[in-house]
Amino acid sequence: MDLQSIKNRFGIIGNSPALNHALNTAVQVAATDLTVLIVGESGVGKEVFSQIIHALSSRKHNPFIAVNCGAIPEGTIDSELFGHEKGAFTGAVDSRKGYFETVNGGTLFMDEIGEMPLGTQARLLRVLETGEFIRVGSSKVQKTDVRVIAATNRELLEFTQKGKFREDLYYRLSTVPIRVSSLRDRKEDILLLFRKFVVDFAERYKTTPVQLDEEAKQLLIQYPWPGNIRELKNIAEQISVLSASNMVSGKEMRIFLPEKKGNRMPMLAGNSTTSGEFANEREILYKLFFDMKKDVTELKKMFVEILQNPSLAGAAANFTKESILNDYSSNITDTSVISTNSNNNISNNSQSNLLPAQNNIGSVPVILHNEDIQMHEEVEESLNIMDKEKELIVKALKKHRGKRKDASLDLGISERTLYRKLKEYDIDE
């Protein structure tokens, strides 16, 4: 059969190269008994490809069953696939055949294969390799002849690296991989599919099919379609029902298309903590950064005031390490001010040259230059995030008199996270 005949038979709309390539692969592999892995996003029509492979194979007169592995509870999936004996578990009042026994000689389509538990994966690998399985609660080995077609919307190779999917099973399933492209990669097919859906709807309800103006067509093509063909069909039916006229404009199309939303906040990859804990700890870091920025801004403001008011220069010459710490102790914590002169005074007659900042890790250099005043102050303040976090935790505990629950609420983290931080920083309550 040529591709167009197959498209007509199974109701496939589109002429994109990616779609034609996937169909060609399905037709070529159908005559064999090789295991096929169909990969694609949700809503692209992966099950249709499994039906094509079965219908064009020598098993077409035998059973075809589609199973959603993600919809079967972990505790019963072994029984569903391989069957069980009477009394094998609570509620097993009778023996039951599994899918591999029922579909003997036919084709089993296993959708969302990436959601299968690891224990069941090992039993599935055994069936694929030897054609043998054992019912739950039995010791008798049974034989079966079932062709398996698997499908997933996940990247199984990444799952194997994370230990969520068996690597040997992945390579056994992907003997012949078929990748079904998403709708946003088949822009030339979007208008054809939309027209098909609105015509089908009009025939079903005896109405006139809606049409799109040029702006509406462009909006339809440019929309990313995260739900793929399933979402496009829903939108087509919504427009057919709710459109004020048979000619849909771009303005009206914007009402039906969902607003594109995206989170532009920075994220850290590979974080081992839970999302809730990470969000709380990230807020603490942001708070630390803003507090440090505020401290630096206040220091700059203090020295700029001295430059803008020459009358303060004489008073500034008497600033010493102790006086500055006393005057600004509320804004500066664990800070030492080092004067550029050996006697800790600012000379009004010094030359206009800049002294190099000392190479101290975590220091904030502040250098001011004027024809009459030269000031080279260096505020040594630890910018280590762990030190700041420890300091905040200690303050919170003192504020709430050692009550962890109140302190954790004030810090914006869970009590369990606070307990872990206390152990990590060796903080004595």
Side-chain angles (χ1 to χ4, degrees), residues 39-41 112 114-115 151-159 164 179:
V39 182
E41 296 179 5
E112 295 188 27
E115 307 299 326
T152 180
N153 58 1
R154 307 294 187 93
E155 291 296 336
L156 292 185
L157 195 57
E158 295 181 3
F159 271 33
K164 296 181 179 180
R179 183 169 290 274

Side-chain angles (χ1 to χ4, degrees), residues 11 73 75 81 89 172 229-230 236 290 344 383 393:
L81 294 178
F89 50 86
R172 184 64 181 81
I229 298 175
R230 187 181 294 120
F290 285 128
N344 289 333
L383 299 182
I393 292 173

